[in-house]
Amino acid sequence: MSALVATEASTPTELRDLARTIGRDVAAVHAADVDRQARFPKETIDALREARLLGALVPVELGGLGHDVRQMAAVVRELGRHCASSAMILAMHDSQAACLTRHGDTEPLRAFQRRMATEQLLIASATTEIGIGGNTRSSSCAVERSGGRFTLTKQAPVISYGEYADAVLVTARRADDAADSDQVLVVCERSDDSTLGLEPISGWDTLGFRGTCSRGFTLTATGPESSVCEVPFGDISAATMLPVSHLLWSSLWRGLADEAADRARRFVQKAARRDLSTIPPGAQRLAELQVELQQLGASVEHLLGRYTAVQDDPEATSSLDFMISINTLKVNASTAVVDVLNRAIIICGIAGYREDSEFSLGRLLRDAHGAAVMVNNDRIMGNTARLTLMLRGEQ
Amino acid sequence: MSTSTDQLDSAVEEEVRRVLVEFGKLSVDATTPDSLPSDASLWSHGLTSHASVTVMLGCEDAFDVEFPQRLLTKQTFSSVASIVAAVREVQE
């Protein structure tokens, strides 16, 4: 039996075991209900809190666990097998947490990180904006500053788990006269000297990832000016938000693919045991599925390695080569997970198609289809296409 | 010698500014140093990484050069002066 609380020294393997315990005992128990009702997976997030995993990325000296993206990837991957919505919430939380722990280098922002760890705060994000068209590197709303205070209003088409978050990281133009791309990241929360209002403007009744409760909101916030992280958001995006979110999402989809492959494996082996004289027809397809699964895993592991090697070198993380690679990972992994699911459902046949069998793949398949459309692959490929115009043949 | 270098630099700068006006999508007029000083940050005047690619292609077309990979950095496109320096370096 593994420990139920993560520590500074937890290895990726121990974290996977911990995530497996939470996944089996909590996330899997509620996953169907979370999906059916499109409700917040409160039980799982509470369990992650109890395991201290919401503060995992906060440095040790600020009371966190000082984990890196590879350790978080292990947790997200395992959790993704049991409840993809819960895993997505953790992945998004971690992507935001990483922005603050890696770039929030002021005393007030460090104090906030300390609270993230001690109070196990859940952090959401509001990066897109109505009228901007999904481009996170452009804002129309602006931070208004006066007398050491800020106010901010943003029409956000999506704030995943916004109603359940303790704080929201919001992108906005640095000031009223700043360019659309001259953005900062603002910590918006409810506290003694901060207010955060979220007025819902849309619902979240979707095919998959229903538990992320990714409604749209009109967000209004006030607080001390020190809640504004003054580091250019473009730098944060290139060095942290984009690579960490792509790595964690891809790890989550890998977890979904792991689970589908495992159900297909159990199905094939059950058939093999029934008739020991032949190899069941699904075995050939299972072998083919392993090829896809291995490629997916290799590509996630490769980019986790590359990112951890260069994460503190802003030139390297904003290099053409790396940007193309990290974009390609997202597109590749999100396509591969659907492919694995499609193969698994053919292998499991009607048992996989049914909603009431141990081999059911319906929810997994619906969740898998979210991968390509949440931050649309076509948009990412459009960005990558532009980057290829800068590729040189000399390296 | 220094005079001709200065003249070359200013001819390059004029052309770089023309490219920035056409493709930079900046929040200020890039035509003269009055509205956009040569050392002013282009990123804080609205240059996006998207637009920087078009600016790069525009400069390559205008000067009939190809920037090597090592010059394709955020730093190169951070100001008028740094783009001019990169163009001059490639022209050498």
Side-chain angles (χ1 to χ4, degrees), chain B residues 58-91:
Chain B
C59 287
E60 290 190 336
D61 182 49
F63 300 104
D64 193 24
V65 294
E66 185 173 290
F67 293 111
Q69 188 80 64
R70 68 184 165 76
L71 287 177
L72 297 181
T73 63
K74 224 180 155 191
Q75 168 60 28
T76 296
F77 296 93
S78 63
S79 69
V80 170
S82 58
I83 299 176
V84 170
V87 170
R88 296 286 287 122
E89 186 180 330
V90 183
Q91 285 177 330

Side-chain angles (χ1 to χ4, degrees), chain A residues 179 181 235 383 386 390 392, chain B residues 50 54 60 66-67 72 74:
Chain A
S181 61
D235 295 353
N383 290 344
R386 188 177 281 267
M390 295 171 78
R392 297 290 123 112
Chain B
H50 274 191
T54 323
E60 290 190 336
E66 185 173 290
F67 293 111
L72 297 181
K74 224 180 155 191

Side-chain angles (χ1 to χ4, degrees), chain A residues 135 137 177-182 232 234-235 315 318 320-321 382-383 386-387 389-395, chain B residues 25 27 43-54 56-57 60 66-70 72-75 77:
Chain A
N135 178 9
R137 285 291 290 107
D177 59 353
D180 290 356
S181 61
D182 185 10
D235 295 353
E315 258 325 298
S318 63
L320 194 62
D321 196 33
N383 290 344
R386 188 177 281 267
L387 293 173
L389 300 178
M390 295 171 78
L391 269 180
R392 297 290 123 112
E394 65 195 57
Q395 66 269 52
Chain B
K25 295 182 181 167
S27 55
W43 303 109
S44 54
H45 285 95
L47 185 69
T48 61
S49 53
H50 274 191
S52 73
V53 177
T54 323
M56 178 211 82
L57 293 169
E60 290 190 336
E66 185 173 290
F67 293 111
Q69 188 80 64
R70 68 184 165 76
L72 297 181
T73 63
K74 224 180 155 191
Q75 168 60 28
F77 296 93

Side-chain angles (χ1 to χ4, degrees), chain A residues 52 55 58-65 114 117-118 120:
Chain A
R52 297 190 21 94
V58 175
V60 174
E61 62 270 26
L62 296 177
L65 303 179
R114 194 179 287 279
T118 54
Q120 292 287 301

Side-chain angles (χ1 to χ4, degrees), chain A residues 135-351:
Chain A
N135 178 9
T136 59
R137 285 291 290 107
S138 183
S139 291
S140 76
C141 66
V143 181
E144 290 171 38
R145 305 162 193 247
S146 164
R149 307 272 306 164
F150 81 86
T151 59
L152 176 58
T153 301
K154 182 166 188 166
Q155 300 286 331
V158 172
I159 303 181
S160 294
Y161 54 93
E163 290 152 295
Y164 309 94
D166 300 298
V168 185
L169 295 201
V170 186
T171 50
R173 286 183 298 125
R174 184 178 298 278
D176 201 35
D177 59 353
D180 290 356
S181 61
D182 185 10
Q183 300 161 290
V184 287
L185 202 53
V186 187
V187 179
C188 300
E189 60 159 340
R190 298 174 193 93
S191 69
D192 293 345
D193 58 352
S194 300
T195 63
L196 170 62
L198 293 172
E199 191 64 41
I201 51 177
S202 57
W204 181 253
D205 185 3
T206 51
L207 196 61
F209 285 113
R210 293 169 58 81
T212 62
C213 303
S214 304
R215 304 175 73 173
F217 296 92
T218 298
L219 177 148
T220 50
T222 63
E225 204 176 347
S226 58
S227 295
V228 180
C229 179
E230 304 287 357
V231 178
F233 175 67
D235 295 353
I236 298 178
S237 174
T240 304
M241 194 183 284
L242 200 126
V244 171
S245 52
H246 285 192
L247 286 165
L248 293 183
W249 294 342
S250 298
S251 299
L252 155 57
W253 302 328
R254 187 183 178 192
L256 260 180
D258 289 340
E259 181 60 26
D262 205 46
R263 290 184 192 188
R265 175 190 63 77
R266 285 191 282 113
F267 183 86
V268 168
Q269 292 178 351
K270 196 175 176 185
R273 283 184 213 110
R274 268 199 306 265
D275 180 1
L276 299 175
S277 63
T278 62
I279 292 177
Q284 175 76 28
R285 289 190 181 276
L286 186 60
E288 289 164 9
L289 185 152
Q290 298 303 316
V291 176
E292 189 80 34
L293 196 64
Q294 179 168 315
Q295 282 173 351
L296 169 59
S299 118
V300 175
E301 288 296 332
H302 173 66
L303 264 299
L304 276 170
R306 275 179 66 184
Y307 178 67
T308 37
V310 302
Q311 60 181 341
D312 295 322
D313 177 358
E315 258 325 298
T317 51
S318 63
S319 74
L320 194 62
D321 196 33
F322 185 76
M323 284 195 292
I324 289 177
S325 297
I326 204 77
N327 281 350
T328 303
L329 170 70
K330 193 271 173 187
V331 173
N332 180 28
S334 60
T335 310
V337 65
V338 174
D339 193 44
V340 167
L341 258 300
N342 286 341
R343 289 172 190 275
I345 207 161
I346 295 292
I347 293 170
C348 296
I350 204 73

Side-chain angles (χ1 to χ4, degrees), chain A residues 106-118:
Chain A
T106 64
E107 207 36 63
L109 291 176
R110 273 196 294 274
F112 182 76
Q113 290 172 52
R114 194 179 287 279
R115 286 183 43 218
M116 281 167 58
T118 54

